[in-house]
Amino acid sequence: MTRAAIRRIEPQPGQESVWDYPRPPRVEPTTERVVIRFGGETIVDTTDAVRVLETSHPPVYYLPRSAFAPGVLVPAPGASFCEFKGAAAYLTVRSGSHEAVAAAWFYPRPTPGFESLADRVAVYPSAMDSCEVAGERVTAQAGDFYGGWITSRVVGPFKGEPGTLGW
């Protein structure tokens, strides 16, 4: 899919288009209930989340580190850099005998404008048993790099799908 071939899906009432999200991204709080299950256990159940909204990407939900069950998050190798949020560090998610290496990330020192991400963690929904927002099961954003959470509330097309690398 080339940039010229992108056809914005028109949002219906109650929906958002990722093409209306800003660049640089916006961070906004939400009180929607977020539940994450991994290894057959609920590892997060919170109404204290923030969403990062960026053009062409489904929202990424950042949750308080304290909302995760004790011992679930352990340091993992690797780092990355976001031109907006700064340097990210990775975490392995563990529950029972299950382990998802580097399946979560956080910004130890977020850049100005993204301070609300401090002490918050995002996870790749594809690596979890399930992630839910307001009772709806999330679909993971395609691709191995992005961690967006797709619900019926957001429409695309979304970056990360085949042919979108050059967007």
Side-chain angles (χ1 to χ4, degrees), residues 33-67:
R33 185 175 181 204
V34 176
V35 178
I36 300 175
R37 293 180 181 85
F38 181 65
E41 302 288 331
T42 299
I43 61 168
V44 174
D45 187 341
T46 185
T47 56
D48 178 8
V50 297
R51 303 188 314 154
V52 173
L53 309 175
E54 181 177 357
T55 305
S56 79
H57 296 274
V60 175
Y61 285 76
Y62 286 79
L63 313 169
R65 186 182 288 258
S66 62

